[in-house]
Amino acid sequence: MSRVGNLPISLPSGVDINVAKSNLVTVKGPNGSLAEQIDPDIKIKMEDGQMTFSRPSDQNRHKALHGLSRALIQNMVIGVTDGFTKTLELVGVGYRVTNTGNLLEIIVGYSHPIYFYVPDEIKVETKTEKGSNPMIILSASDKQLLGQVAAKIRAYRKPEPYKGKGIKYSNEIIRRKAGKTSGK
């Protein structure tokens, strides 16, 4: 029994969902429009402002798709109403970030600055305050795209476990290791 797949999705006001014959789900709301192709085996029903999902059998493949399909549509509904935000923090001496529109200039200890163009669907903001680490704030309605872009930016300088330097998510906790000890 899929606990996630059996939960209904309640549709907030201002959100319009269209399901095509081939299970192409289009969600429109105040923050834009998103589309996702759902496996044709999963049955989608709309009734009383709620969306429910059912699977044809108890095969492992159908069980996996049941919860996945529901979670993808739920993320689309949340995205077009509230949106998603990810915050990245640059930890290290001399680490800086600036943006010009959607072009990020990241300086993280290499001999050259890194230029990264963020897709137009994502809104970028950088914060550099005295006494705190520089931050990159990404916000979008598409959770998958937002996570992928944040992971790419983080991959330029992953946080290391000895000093904790690098680009990390703001809520990420880095497990620290002890350094060398004297051999006496």
Side-chain angles (χ1 to χ4, degrees):
M1 177 172 128
S2 172
R3 294 182 183 178
V4 172
N6 286 334
L7 294 173
I9 297 174
S10 59
L11 303 178
S13 61
V15 174
D16 180 40
I17 293 185
N18 184 22
V19 182
K21 288 250 188 221
S22 63
N23 267 9
L24 177 69
V25 179
T26 308
V27 180
K28 292 180 184 169
N31 287 353
S33 173
L34 296 171
E36 182 75 38
Q37 180 67 46
I38 301 298
D39 193 277
D41 290 344
I42 302 297
K43 304 288 182 247
I44 303 171
K45 289 184 201 149
M46 292 284 298
E47 47 194 37
D48 306 341
Q50 290 195 332
M51 184 178 244
T52 57
F53 298 83
S54 60
R55 60 177 184 251
S57 71
D58 281 341
Q59 292 178 5
N60 284 341
R61 180 178 164 278
H62 288 147
K63 285 181 181 180
L65 288 171
H66 190 202
L68 172 73
S69 302
R70 190 248 178 225
L72 290 173
I73 303 302
Q74 176 69 30
N75 286 339
M76 290 167 57
V77 170
I78 293 170
V80 297
T81 54
D82 301 330
F84 295 99
T85 303
K86 282 216 183 265
T87 306
L88 295 143
E89 192 175 332
L90 282 73
V91 180
V93 176
Y95 287 12
R96 298 188 310 265
V97 65
T98 56
N99 72 312
T100 309
N102 278 14
L103 183 67
L104 281 175
E105 181 184 6
I106 306 167
I107 300 170
V108 285
Y110 295 118
S111 61
H112 58 283
I114 297 166
Y115 293 99
F116 183 81
Y117 186 77
V118 178
D120 294 330
E121 295 89 3
I122 297 177
K123 191 177 134 228
V124 181
E125 183 184 340
T126 56
K127 275 190 188 173
T128 308
E129 296 174 4
K130 194 108 175 135
S132 68
N133 294 324
M135 300 175 105
I136 304 169
I137 300 164
L138 304 170
S139 55
S141 59
D142 189 349
K143 188 175 186 179
Q144 293 177 10
L145 179 66
L146 182 68
Q148 186 67 41
V149 169
K152 277 186 181 180
I153 293 171
R154 182 180 180 271
Y156 285 121
R157 180 70 87 175
K158 287 185 182 172
E160 52 94 18
Y162 296 102
K163 291 185 177 178
K165 291 170 51 172
I167 302 173
K168 69 179 194 86
Y169 298 113
S170 63
N171 58 355
E172 182 179 8
I173 297 169
I174 298 165
R175 297 187 71 190
R176 302 294 291 269
K177 290 184 179 177
K180 293 182 182 177
T181 57
S182 65
K184 290 185 177 182

